[in-house]
Amino acid sequence: MNLRRSTLFRLVSNLSMKRKFLLQSAMIALGIIGLAVIAARTQYLDVIDVRKDGLRVQAEMARGMIQDYARRAESGAMTEQQAREAALEALQAMQGNGGQDYFFVLDRDLDMVMHPRRPDLVGQPLAGVTSPDGRHIFPAMLAAAEAGGGFVDYTWEKPGQARPAKKTSYAFLYEPWGWVVAVGVYTDDTQARAIGFTLIMTLAGGLLVLFNLGLGWLIGGSILASVNRALAAVRGVSRGDLEVRTGHHGRDEIGQMLQAMDGMVHMLERFSHEARHMIAQHAGPDIGHRMPEDFPGVYGELARGINTMMFEHLDAIMDAIAVLQEYASGDLSRDARRLPGSRAVLHEAMDAAKASLMAINGEIRRLAQAAAEGDFSVRGDENAFRHDFLEMVRGLNTMMATADRNLGQLSALLHAIAQGDLTVRMEGDFRGVFARMRDDANATVEQLKAIVPRIQEASGAISTASTEIASGN
């Protein structure tokens, strides 16, 4: 189906405008004829429906009249037989359209009870009677009546005509008396009027098609010229040429269209100029430059949208830069501004940076606190960081390990000295202050090693002198 549509579309697209006008006129002619037929059919069905509604109303009136006579019989005003005879007389008198529309009554055995046009049928069984078109109409009427009332279509003799005519009857059942009451109307005149209406509509449509063809031929040339100029302008705009103009403008709709197209090109030209100017300004001279928003309609909405989008991004970036500057100065108290949609990636990245800075800061504080308390066995968590932060933690761990090892050796040396062992020395590759501590500690041990013998000699001399003084005394 899509392939057929595409082929038909290409075929019509390749036709010239004149041929399209002719094709349009032909389609209009066919459409008018089709509409005439549809209108005639619709009118025919509407008239039929109106007549059927009229039959239904007449049937309800007849039902009400029969019920009135039945109530009189029930009240004792007359006998039931008198009521039935009076009702039949009233139904027989209810005729219209020159006697062509009338009521007739059957019983449930399909015997004729009353017929105003065919008294010869009264008392006759009608179950086997068929209409000229071969339909058993009376059993059909009984079935429709027993179903709550309905219509039966058939052909029947029409007064004043040799051939049977189409007729529609409505039948209902009056259960207390077992009557099938029917009323009918001929519909052949309705069909004839519908055919006449169709011919009139077709003739009027043909004249309208001829007039439309001549008028289309007359104005086609002017339309084609204006359309070609509009096409040239559209092609220019489509390839980015905003300097195209459509030339002379008439005062008809096409001229107004050409004038509006020139206005559109002017608007696009100005919008393009302002957009390029904004790009140039944001490239260096003035990052705060805004695009004018006095464009009409959607152009103004686009300008406002561009400004909003641009400065929402700029504001978010400037705010992020301010927060980053605070982070760089060591102030991690402020969070990045929350941003909606896809821009949330900016504050998410800022939050991640802040979390990493706070984590490394906490790790440094923990190690510094341990070092201040003299516990150099504490180490930073190297699995919690990556890249430069990981190298920073590794460096801190190396520092803590070096301090722990060197101070441990110094502590061991001092402990040995305290125990009187002056043979110990600090050995190893030490650097900086730890190298000076090693050399000073080893020099201290050497000094103590030299001082102790002299102290021992002095102590011996003092002991000897004390002995001699004691002996002299």
Side-chain angles (χ1 to χ4, degrees), residues 166-335:
K166 290 185 177 182
K167 189 174 185 179
T168 296
S169 292
Y170 181 84
F172 69 90
L173 177 65
Y174 185 67
E175 185 69 29
W177 292 352
W179 281 2
V180 177
V181 182
V183 58
V185 61
Y186 290 97
T187 61
D188 56 329
D189 58 335
T190 303
Q191 185 174 7
R193 280 191 288 176
I195 294 175
F197 179 76
T198 302
L199 293 177
I200 294 173
M201 289 290 294
T202 303
L203 179 59
L207 295 176
L208 182 61
V209 168
L210 293 176
F211 177 76
N212 179 70
L213 180 62
L215 185 61
W217 191 274
L218 178 64
I219 66 177
S222 62
I223 292 178
L224 288 176
S226 300
V227 168
N228 288 331
R229 283 187 286 148
L231 178 60
V234 171
R235 285 175 176 172
V237 173
S238 66
R239 62 175 178 265
D241 182 9
L242 299 181
E243 296 182 357
V244 295
R245 298 294 182 268
T246 58
H248 174 69
H249 302 150
R251 290 183 295 179
D252 59 358
E253 288 79 1
I254 296 181
Q256 296 174 19
M257 179 189 70
L258 295 176
Q259 185 176 4
M261 187 168 294
D262 281 346
M264 179 192 70
V265 173
H266 282 299
M267 190 63 63
L268 289 174
E269 189 175 18
R270 182 187 168 214
F271 192 89
S272 176
H273 170 75
E274 293 295 343
R276 288 197 300 269
H277 181 63
M278 184 176 186
I279 293 172
Q281 290 296 314
H282 279 260
D286 182 12
I287 196 173
H289 176 76
R290 287 180 174 269
M291 189 173 182
E293 299 179 0
D294 59 343
F295 294 96
V298 70
Y299 299 106
E301 294 178 4
L302 287 174
R304 288 189 291 273
I306 290 173
N307 287 334
T308 300
M309 177 189 66
M310 181 68 69
F311 284 93
E312 281 184 352
H313 288 308
L314 285 177
D315 291 343
I317 292 172
M318 296 303 294
D319 184 72
I321 291 174
V323 175
L324 282 176
Q325 289 175 344
E326 293 177 6
Y327 290 173
S329 64
D331 182 6
L332 301 179
S333 60
R334 188 154 67 102
D335 290 330

Side-chain angles (χ1 to χ4, degrees), residues 65-142:
M65 182 268 295
I66 295 173
Q67 290 175 346
D68 181 64
Y69 282 109
R71 283 192 295 269
R72 292 183 185 182
E74 291 175 356
S75 65
M78 60 176 64
T79 64
E80 181 176 333
Q81 182 62 29
Q82 290 174 341
R84 291 191 180 196
E85 292 176 356
L88 291 176
E89 291 178 1
L91 290 174
Q92 186 172 6
M94 295 173 63
Q95 299 184 28
N97 195 18
Q100 295 183 5
D101 302 336
Y102 52 85
F103 285 90
F104 58 92
V105 182
L106 310 169
D107 60 17
R108 302 189 78 164
D109 295 329
L110 296 181
D111 293 337
M112 182 66 73
V113 177
M114 185 275 295
H115 195 292
R117 306 290 299 178
R118 294 287 302 275
D120 57 303
L121 295 178
V122 176
Q124 300 295 324
L126 304 176
V129 176
T130 60
S131 63
D133 56 355
R135 184 175 184 183
H136 293 276
I137 57 174
F138 296 107
M141 290 183 183
L142 175 62

Side-chain angles (χ1 to χ4, degrees), residues 388-444:
D388 288 344
F389 286 161
L390 175 60
E391 296 300 323
M392 186 183 298
V393 174
R394 285 176 178 173
L396 291 172
N397 287 340
T398 301
M399 180 188 71
M400 294 290 285
T402 301
D404 188 31
R405 182 177 63 255
N406 294 342
L407 292 176
Q409 290 191 23
L410 179 60
S411 177
L413 176 65
L414 294 175
H415 181 73
I417 294 173
Q419 297 296 323
D421 184 4
L422 300 179
T423 62
V424 295
R425 299 290 185 274
M426 285 185 66
E427 304 294 341
D429 184 16
F430 298 92
R431 298 179 182 178
V433 67
F434 292 113
R436 291 196 299 272
M437 289 174 60
R438 177 199 62 190
D439 296 340
D440 291 343
N442 289 337
T444 300

